[in-house]
Amino acid sequence: MKNLIIVLGAIVMFYFAATLIIPPYIESQRNPVKSPPPYTVSIEAQAMYHRLDFISDLHCDALLWGRNLTERGSRGQVDFPRMREANVALEMFTIVSKSPAGQNMKINTEDAFNNITPLTIAKGEYPANWFSLINRTLSQSEKLADFIQEEEGKAIFVRNKADFQRLIEARKADKSIIGGMLGIEGAHALEGKIENLDRAFEAGVRMIGLTHFFDNELGGSAHGQSQAGLTAFGKEVVNKMNEKGIFIDLAHCSPAIVDDVLAMTDKPVIVSHTGVRGVLDSPRNLSDLHIQKIAENGGIIGIAFFDEAVGVPELPNIIASIKHVRDLVGIEYVALGSDYDGAVAVPFDITGFPLLVEGMMNQGFNETEIQAVMGENIKRFFLQNLN
């Protein structure tokens, strides 16, 4: 018995040691910043950046990795202190519950090993989260709520239009006040149960991507096997999302799902993080036809920052992607959708946002257009469409 206790004690000690070592190591490998801060831009670009009133981003997976977002991190790409340094008003924190082994842009199977399972265990999460997608989702939702509560009024959890208006008003007096919204990357997190949509809504989720890297109960992924449109369950979920005021995110969706959603909804949609085929021809990216249809719907398109969405070198191609949407349908439909902390290498962390301003200035964007891309479009979109 004594030897058994010693063995069990050693196992417990090893497990807790692993929770301190493994997640930070994994994150440092999966979320590199190609050019670490600090960043410098021209005097003119920095001056314009300081004049920006509302800076925002539509996609960040920082909740996945187990970092305390209230503290400035030495790894990863986003946290609250770095948001403040960059004068970012609002970040959409998205929840990842499943990521298939062998993940790629072309084809992935639904039954592939889930890379998030060992990460969940290694982070020391409750066993109830180890094999439940909805439990992982609700747990990450609680984490954002906890981080915001720790800020003691310096951060606002945006669940509705009133919260969003409160954030805008609060920042007029204090630019250190930041906002966080909550999204889900892939509706497989609902586990095929419509009642889990209610649970996600109650937890604060206000945007859901219908698919991620693989087909699910709602339909086909852009990177899945079927390339199918919405299933009957998918249509039920879309209708209920519209009823509850949860934004539909079409990032990662098959072209057939994009068509099906736009045919059945009169609510504006979001594409939270994407590239465009006019710059990089990839299954990951939007065609010109879909860009036009999303604009006709009144939607908004967030341009991602990583090479598999925009190509290499990233910064010029981010600007080229923004320009492509502007020239095709108008500046009012394009925004930032970084995919920060999404297991991607990015050219700069969130404190490098002034580089985007300089890049757009160099490509002839005027100040009004730059303000729109950097956050005013998102501000207008949420003021018009949040319940």
Side-chain angles (χ1 to χ4, degrees), residues 64-84:
L64 175 62
W65 304 99
R67 275 188 290 124
N68 182 347
L69 298 185
T70 68
E71 299 176 356
R72 187 183 184 91
S74 59
R75 62 183 188 277
Q77 298 151 5
V78 173
D79 49 48
F80 291 0
R82 280 182 278 185
M83 284 178 65
R84 292 191 173 100

Side-chain angles (χ1 to χ4, degrees), residues 25 41 49 54 57 61 85 87 94 133 171 187 200 206 212 226 233 237 256 286 311 327 339 352 368:
Y25 174 78
V41 296
Y49 191 82
F54 193 90
D57 178 46
D61 295 333
E85 181 180 331
N87 194 29
T94 39
L133 303 184
R171 284 181 56 82
R206 294 298 180 268
H212 195 203
S226 71
F233 179 67
V237 170
L286 290 175
D327 293 348
D339 200 19
T368 300

Side-chain angles (χ1 to χ4, degrees), residues 178-387:
I178 58 174
M181 290 183 69
L182 200 55
I184 293 176
E185 186 150 33
H188 51 268
L190 303 178
E191 297 181 339
K193 299 176 181 177
I194 195 69
E195 58 267 27
N196 282 336
L197 188 63
D198 294 315
R199 298 175 70 189
F201 181 84
E202 290 302 316
V205 170
R206 294 298 180 268
M207 181 185 79
I208 299 178
L210 303 186
T211 63
H212 195 203
F213 272 96
F214 48 90
D215 302 338
N216 64 29
E217 299 91 344
L218 282 76
S221 164
H223 331 279
Q225 294 177 294
S226 71
Q227 295 299 309
L230 288 171
T231 63
F233 179 67
K235 292 176 182 177
E236 182 183 7
V237 170
V238 166
N239 284 327
K240 189 162 186 178
M241 286 173 64
N242 282 339
E243 290 172 9
K244 297 187 76 68
I246 302 174
F247 293 108
I248 297 164
D249 180 8
L250 295 177
H252 292 288
C253 287
S254 69
I257 281 189
V258 176
D259 288 334
D260 286 349
V261 168
L262 294 175
M264 68 180 289
T265 184
D266 58 358
K267 303 284 188 181
V269 301
I270 294 173
V271 187
S272 68
H273 60 305
T274 190
V276 297
R277 295 195 182 189
V279 173
L280 181 67
D281 189 9
S282 163
R284 175 72 179 77
N285 292 345
L286 290 175
S287 68
D288 284 0
L289 178 60
H290 280 155
I291 293 169
Q292 290 167 330
K293 287 184 175 182
I294 290 162
E296 290 170 6
N297 161 269
I300 193 165
I301 297 167
I303 298 300
F305 292 0
F306 60 97
D307 59 2
E308 289 187 294
V310 297
V312 178
E314 292 93 345
L315 180 56
N317 286 333
I318 294 167
I319 307 304
S321 301
I322 293 168
K323 184 176 184 295
H324 185 84
V325 177
R326 181 199 68 179
D327 293 348
L328 185 65
V329 295
I331 196 68
E332 62 267 36
Y333 300 106
V334 63
L336 305 182
S338 65
D339 200 19
Y340 276 147
D341 292 315
V344 291
V346 293
F348 45 82
D349 73 9
I350 199 167
T351 63
F353 271 12
L355 295 167
L356 294 166
V357 169
E358 183 175 59
M360 284 187 276
M361 289 177 67
N362 291 341
Q363 289 300 311
F365 284 69
N366 63 44
E367 185 160 353
T368 300
E369 290 175 324
I370 292 171
Q371 289 172 341
V373 173
M374 295 300 294
E376 288 297 324
N377 284 342
I378 293 174
K379 179 181 176 182
R380 171 185 47 78
F381 182 88
F382 286 139
L383 284 173
Q384 290 176 349
N385 298 300
L386 269 170
N387 287 345

Side-chain angles (χ1 to χ4, degrees), residues 33-50:
V33 177
K34 291 186 176 182
S35 298
Y39 306 102
T40 57
V41 296
S42 68
I43 294 172
E44 294 79 9
Q46 193 63 58
M48 186 181 293
Y49 191 82
H50 282 310

